[in-house]
Amino acid sequence: MKKLIAMLLALVMCFGLLAGCGGNTATSTEPGTSTEPGGTTSTEPEGNFASTGEPIIYTYNGYTSALATNWNPHTMETSADDDMAYQLADSFMSTALLDSENGVWQWAYYMATSYEDVTADHQDLITKYNAALPAGQTLEDTTEGYVFEIKLRDDLKWQDGTPIKAQDFVESMQLCLDSDMRNYRANLYYTGSTTPIAGAKSYFDSGFSGWVETSGVFTMDDITVTADGATTPDGEQVMIAASKALAWLGGDTLEAFIGLGYLDDDAVTALVEQVTGDDPEADDYGLVPLNEANLALLRTAITANPAWGETEAEAINYCYYQHTYPTFDWENVGFFAPDDTTLMVVTEAKSDFNEVRNQINGTWLVYKPLYEAGYDVTGKQKTTNYGTSLETTMAFGPYMLESFQNDRQMVFVKNPEWWGWERDENGDFVRDENGCLVSYTNYLVDGENVRRFIVDRDVTDIMEDSAAHQAFLKGELDSYAPTADELSSTYSTSDQLLKTEDSYTMRLFFNTNLDALKAMDASKGNTNSVVMSNENFRRAFSLAIDRDKYCQATPGYAPATFLLNNLYMYDGWNDPTSNYRRSDAAMQGICRLYGVEYGEGTPYATLEDAYKSINGYNLTEAQELMKTACDELVADGLYTAGEPIHIRLGWAAGAIDSAAQAQVRVLQDALNAAVEGSGFGTVELEPVGNLTDRYKDVENGEYCIGYGAWGGAIFKPFQTMQCYCDPDQYEIHESGCWDPSSETLTLNINGEDVTMTWQQWANACSGNGRYYPGTKGPFDTCLEITSQLEEKYLEKYYCIPLASKTVCSLVGYQFSNYTTNYSVFYGYGGTELMVPNYTDAEWAELLASQGGTLNYE
């Protein structure tokens, strides 16, 4: 298809049918090439124009299932909101592409001209804003990590031409942290971030009176409970959150757990029924009195099921207290502008410079006149309608919102007031031969300043998948996310299929507790699921799975024999080659797990060759292990040879669709191939869907096998094993198998045998851990520890990794990504570096020549 399109375009150009369309200009060059910065001023051609009067030569057409509803950067919540907000914004700096072939990135300046750690020159600000020093460190020793200076460009403007000064960023931050508004995104700057601003949390809470969670603030011993109610030591009222979200429950409510079997339903119901009581304000928040009777109900609710694992003392985690915070002046917040182009930021604790630049990056900026004009103070807290319509929106990035039709379409066009458009010596715009605004990177990409933001209009329509599919084939959309069925049946080998690896590793996770398995066989619909208690059975199960075949049944996934996939970087901010999965230690761990040797006298000359050979599939060994497992289980009186095995799988939060059925069939076929001739009967796997919490269900003995994933935190591979081993921080999905807080492990570290609990090992390379490397290494010890933990954990076969999750999309022919080498730092180059292959007019000609339908198979 690519060759056909190229031939057709060549013929069209030869016959002169593309006059005035641009042809082979800098905007349609191959990635990595460009003309010199600058251009020519030309008369605007006839054609489409934006509302700003700018010509439209290149239109990118996308689709979505739902448009944003609130793109105020202080309150946005959904991914659609995020996408909209960042489309309208700009940043001080960004991680940008430097070397596309080798995946090397760089910091590039946008709205800022410099961003520096100036702690050494401003130690007085650490004291002024009451920042906390590390233990044992004096002010005189503190030369980095607290005070940061941002120098801004002097030509920043809003889309209406209003200049943007440093004070605008300060006032926008003050609005974001306004205690009367309780803005959702304020926590990016006062907590939950690695770089909270000094004093920001105190200002956010200043004078606020409301309900605050007691978890982490008090213990039950601190609370006075009587027949009438409860109070804190300061006399503040305490109530139980019956139907109000709790951080302790991961954002869920007590009420949401009714019927799930984890808590005492009668006790929870008795609490929830009191929400409509005598305290209207508390009722509105879903709170009920904490009195002696209700405390007894709460304690019954959380302790009735031993598998829930809580004591009466943990009742404090289900409560709120009425609290009024002291007032705190903005002048005490470490964020100010000494002049029109300078911002000063003081963080409340020592911070990594790269993380500061990534977090404190200008995207909270709002247009104050519109923001304040949209205030509504009629409710319980002040709100604004800023960023909810075309009329309440103001852009300061390269694109602006041209039109917005709720539940239908949004359109972006170039913002002529953006600082990045080229201007000549007279201050006039430099335009290309099509009359379009021109911008070149102010940083080098593959050694050159390349043309950027070439797309003139970006249109996004709401479409269902089936409609989007047809529109894509007609050339009306420039990308399409194929369904699982379409991937497996039509597009799995398409040249235009883009598979982007996600951090999540899909796995089977187990409950191997023998008593729990017996109970599941007796009353949960399983037959002989006790076989899962045998390690050889589970290991054979893993070796029997052809992960390539599994991924063929699971389109959009990549085979995985590990827990941490290819995205994890142990020193990503400083070293683009610091990929955990490609480190010698990580590869050696997987080679040891599967018994693959390398070097002289082996089939593999190098470690990398050996590692790449591993696919986790060995049916011969699986069958041998199954024979051993059967003999062991029969000898232990747990299984009668030849009997069938039926196991229900806790599979999905949604319905079991055809894709899930196909995935489970691969696993079932693998097991039946492995048990052939072993003494085991046939195996049947039954996937169960529409589950509220399959992770808890497996832990609590509803199912012995679950299907799910761990991922995220790609810059923290050394802490990732906490997800499997630290029950104080994470819900351990395999907790039905073991207790990592008490079981010990001995590892040889730097020539010394060291014994700690698994939980302690999982934290050994975190901030307070025994082997914490700091933010700049050296990392060898933690690479070895993490690799050994990953290996030893997988050896238990409490879980079986299957595949890495990927995001799949079909890329249309009108535009190309700058690079096909994905990086977590710059993606594929993004909209900024997107390369058009055809103008809108050329594209229309091409579609007509193809009969209005394109082939992407």
Side-chain angles (χ1 to χ4, degrees):
M1 187 63 192
K2 285 181 178 178
K3 291 180 179 178
L4 176 61
I5 288 178
M7 291 171 61
L8 288 170
L9 180 60
L11 289 171
V12 170
M13 291 181 68
C14 286
F15 286 102
L17 299 180
L18 298 183
C21 293
N24 187 23
T25 69
T27 56
S28 57
T29 56
E30 291 298 313
T33 64
S34 73
T35 61
E36 290 299 313
T40 59
T41 303
S42 61
T43 303
E44 292 180 353
E46 295 181 2
N48 294 326
F49 294 88
S51 58
T52 58
E54 293 296 325
I56 303 297
I57 304 300
Y58 297 103
T59 301
Y60 187 90
N61 292 286
Y63 74 100
T64 184
S65 59
L67 292 178
T69 58
N70 165 36
W71 47 95
N72 174 358
H74 299 173
T75 56
M76 58 189 183
E77 294 189 35
T78 69
S79 59
D81 294 342
D82 287 357
D83 291 344
M84 173 76 104
Y86 290 114
Q87 185 88 320
L88 299 163
D90 204 348
S91 56
F92 297 146
M93 301 184 72
S94 182
T95 52
L97 190 155
L98 175 64
D99 178 349
S100 61
E101 182 176 354
N102 298 301
V104 182
W105 67 279
Q106 62 185 314
W107 278 112
Y109 287 113
Y110 289 81
M111 292 192 298
T113 58
S114 69
Y115 200 139
E116 298 179 352
D117 185 335
V118 294
T119 305
D121 297 327
H122 294 279
Q123 291 175 322
D124 60 308
L125 296 180
I126 299 174
T127 302
K128 178 178 179 179
Y129 293 103
N130 199 31
L133 296 177
Q137 186 167 319
T138 66
L139 183 63
E140 290 73 19
D141 298 328
T142 308
T143 59
E144 62 179 7
Y146 282 88
V147 185
F148 306 90
E149 181 185 77
I150 306 164
K151 289 290 187 180
L152 302 177
R153 300 178 60 93
D154 61 7
D155 54 356
L156 303 178
K157 294 180 182 179
W158 291 100
Q159 70 180 61
D160 68 352
T162 301
I164 299 173
K165 306 296 184 183
Q167 186 61 26
D168 295 311
F169 289 96
V170 175
E171 292 176 2
S172 292
M173 181 63 76
Q174 188 173 3
L175 291 171
C176 182
L177 296 170
D178 186 346
S179 62
D180 290 335
M181 302 189 76
R182 314 304 291 171
N183 286 318
Y184 177 73
R185 292 286 180 169
N187 68 345
L188 294 174
Y189 309 107
Y190 73 74
T191 190
S193 148
T194 55
T195 57
I197 298 169
K201 182 63 167 67
S202 295
Y203 185 78
F204 178 77
D205 289 331
S206 178
F208 172 73
S209 181
W211 294 102
V212 182
E213 292 195 55
T214 53
S215 182
V217 181
F218 301 107
T219 67
M220 282 309 303
D221 291 338
D222 299 323
I223 307 302
T224 300
V225 183
T226 69
D228 297 322
T231 56
T232 70
D234 292 329
E236 298 162 315
Q237 185 180 14
V238 184
M239 302 191 80
I240 298 171
S243 54
K244 180 174 174 60
L246 288 155
W248 184 253
L249 296 180
D252 282 331
T253 65
L254 264 175
E255 184 178 12
F257 279 78
I258 294 175
L260 300 184
Y262 305 133
L263 307 177
D264 185 286
D265 286 350
D266 291 339
V268 176
T269 300
L271 290 171
V272 172
E273 287 176 346
Q274 299 178 52
V275 169
T276 54
D278 298 327
D279 188 338
E281 183 177 3
D283 293 346
D284 288 345
Y285 284 102
L287 303 174
V288 299
L290 175 63
N291 51 36
E292 291 171 347
N294 283 344
L295 178 58
L297 287 172
L298 178 58
R299 285 173 166 168
T300 297
I302 65 175
T303 62
N305 184 352
W308 187 250
E310 290 188 351
T311 67
E312 291 185 351
E314 287 167 296
I316 193 66
N317 299 310
Y318 297 84
C319 299
Y320 277 74
Y321 72 108
Q322 180 75 40
H323 183 63
T324 299
Y325 289 93
T327 58
F328 191 87
D329 293 334
W330 176 255
E331 288 70 23
N332 296 319
V333 178
F335 195 85
F336 61 97
D339 58 57
D340 284 349
T341 58
T342 306
L343 277 174
M344 300 295 291
V345 182
V346 183
T347 56
E348 71 173 22
K350 188 172 183 179
S351 303
D352 180 81
F353 187 22
N354 286 298
E355 293 179 346
V356 172
R357 288 189 284 189
N358 186 54
Q359 190 75 22
I360 311 295
N361 210 0
T363 51
W364 67 85
L365 183 65
V366 294
Y367 190 63
K368 191 175 179 179
L370 278 181
Y371 193 97
E372 294 182 335
Y375 279 157
D376 183 346
V377 295
T378 59
K380 289 189 173 181
Q381 64 188 40
K382 184 167 65 175
T383 61
T384 178
N385 66 0
Y386 184 82
T388 58
S389 66
L390 177 64
E391 294 74 23
T392 61
T393 298
M394 188 71 73
F396 59 98
Y399 292 97
M400 55 185 281
L401 189 62
E402 182 181 58
S403 65
F404 182 83
Q405 295 172 290
N406 193 27
D407 297 328
R408 183 178 177 185
Q409 183 189 76
M410 62 183 180
V411 179
F412 293 91
V413 295
K414 287 180 177 177
N415 171 17
E417 296 295 339
W418 181 56
W419 61 267
W421 306 122
E422 295 280 325
R423 293 179 182 267
D424 61 22
E425 61 274 11
N426 298 318
D428 297 325
F429 286 126
V430 173
R431 299 178 181 272
D432 64 16
E433 59 271 37
N434 298 304
C436 296
L437 296 170
V438 174
S439 180
Y440 288 84
T441 56
N442 55 352
Y443 55 91
L444 296 181
V445 179
D446 293 327
E448 298 182 272
N449 298 105
V450 301
R451 180 88 178 262
R452 62 176 171 178
F453 298 117
I454 300 174
V455 172
D456 301 300
R457 176 180 281 153
D458 187 314
V459 180
T460 301
D461 288 296
I462 287 186
M463 289 187 182
E464 298 296 331
D465 286 344
S466 57
H469 187 203
Q470 293 305 310
F472 179 71
L473 296 179
K474 293 177 181 178
E476 296 169 0
L477 291 177
D478 291 302
S479 66
Y480 171 65
T483 65
D485 287 342
E486 290 166 349
L487 277 172
S488 59
S489 62
T490 308
Y491 300 117
S492 61
T493 60
S494 173
D495 288 340
Q496 296 300 108
L497 181 64
L498 193 65
K499 295 178 68 173
T500 305
E501 192 167 16
D502 200 353
S503 67
Y504 288 85
T505 299
M506 307 303 298
R507 74 197 198 289
L508 300 175
F509 57 97
F510 306 134
N511 184 330
T512 65
N513 181 276
L514 185 56
D515 290 336
L517 291 168
K518 289 178 178 178
M520 284 182 250
D521 286 339
S523 62
K524 303 295 184 182
N526 287 354
T527 303
N528 287 316
S529 66
V530 290
V531 298
M532 291 301 301
S533 66
N534 185 278
E535 183 180 312
N536 282 316
F537 184 94
R538 301 193 304 272
R539 182 181 173 196
F541 188 1
S542 178
L543 290 170
I545 301 170
D546 184 336
R547 287 163 175 79
D548 287 325
K549 183 180 291 185
Y550 180 82
C551 289
Q552 291 172 11
T554 314
Y557 285 70
T561 55
F562 37 69
L563 296 176
L564 283 75
N565 70 13
N566 296 311
L567 292 187
Y568 284 86
M569 309 281 287
Y570 57 86
D571 190 24
W573 287 120
N574 302 300
D575 180 3
T577 67
S578 62
N579 184 288
Y580 167 75
R581 192 76 271 151
R582 298 191 191 111
S583 70
D584 285 356
M587 290 191 290
Q588 287 165 350
I590 300 302
C591 285
R592 290 193 300 266
L593 177 67
Y594 287 95
V596 179
E597 298 180 344
Y598 58 92
E600 187 175 350
T602 73
Y604 306 106
T606 67
L607 168 61
E608 187 173 1
D609 291 339
Y611 172 74
K612 287 182 177 180
S613 75
I614 296 171
N615 60 15
Y617 179 58
N618 189 329
L619 182 58
T620 300
E621 186 178 355
Q623 291 173 332
E624 294 170 354
L625 287 167
M626 280 299 186
K627 178 67 170 64
T628 300
C630 186
D631 292 345
E632 291 172 344
L633 287 162
V634 170
D636 291 339
L638 297 173
Y639 177 73
T640 300
E643 288 189 347
I645 299 168
H646 179 94
I647 298 176
R648 299 170 76 240
L649 313 182
W651 194 260
I656 300 300
D657 56 16
S658 60
Q661 294 284 6
Q663 295 161 17
V664 174
R665 276 196 301 271
V666 171
L667 300 176
Q668 180 174 286
D669 291 347
L671 272 172
N672 281 304
V675 302
E676 186 175 340
S678 67
F680 285 118
T682 57
V683 182
E684 182 181 17
L685 301 179
E686 177 191 349
V688 181
N690 296 315
L691 301 175
T692 300
D693 191 340
R694 60 189 180 276
Y695 300 100
K696 274 286 188 184
D697 287 344
V698 173
E699 295 170 42
N700 293 336
E702 295 293 320
Y703 306 95
C704 64
I705 304 178
Y707 177 65
W710 271 118
I714 58 174
F715 287 166
K716 297 183 178 181
F718 300 150
Q719 284 78 56
T720 299
M721 290 304 296
Q722 293 170 348
C723 299
Y724 302 90
C725 305
D726 187 355
D728 291 339
Q729 295 191 65
Y730 297 95
E731 193 71 40
I732 305 301
H733 301 160
E734 295 82 8
S735 62
C737 305
W738 69 321
D739 180 7
S741 66
S742 60
E743 185 174 325
T744 60
L745 173 69
T746 299
L747 300 180
N748 187 276
I749 304 301
N750 300 324
E752 176 188 4
D753 285 342
V754 180
T755 301
M756 295 193 288
T757 67
W758 281 81
Q759 183 179 18
Q760 289 169 333
W761 277 117
N763 288 286
C765 291
S766 61
N768 296 318
R770 180 172 178 175
Y771 298 99
Y772 178 56
T775 58
K776 298 179 181 178
F779 301 99
D780 292 350
T781 298
C782 282
L783 283 168
E784 186 59 38
I785 290 172
T786 302
S787 171
Q788 289 191 52
L789 279 178
E790 184 182 30
E791 171 199 357
K792 298 297 184 184
Y793 185 74
L794 287 172
E795 275 184 350
K796 289 179 171 292
Y797 295 95
Y798 291 157
C799 74
I800 295 175
L802 297 172
S804 289
K805 189 177 180 181
T806 64
V807 178
C808 292
S809 62
L810 286 166
V811 180
Y813 295 115
Q814 187 178 2
F815 298 92
S816 295
N817 289 310
Y818 180 88
T819 178
T820 56
N821 295 327
Y822 177 77
S823 167
V824 296
F825 290 99
Y826 53 75
Y828 297 101
T831 302
E832 179 177 9
L833 300 183
M834 186 175 287
V835 180
N837 300 314
Y838 308 99
T839 66
D840 291 353
E842 291 168 348
W843 188 242
E845 292 280 356
L846 177 61
L847 291 174
S849 71
Q850 294 294 295
T853 302
L854 299 172
N855 180 12
Y856 285 94
E857 296 180 18

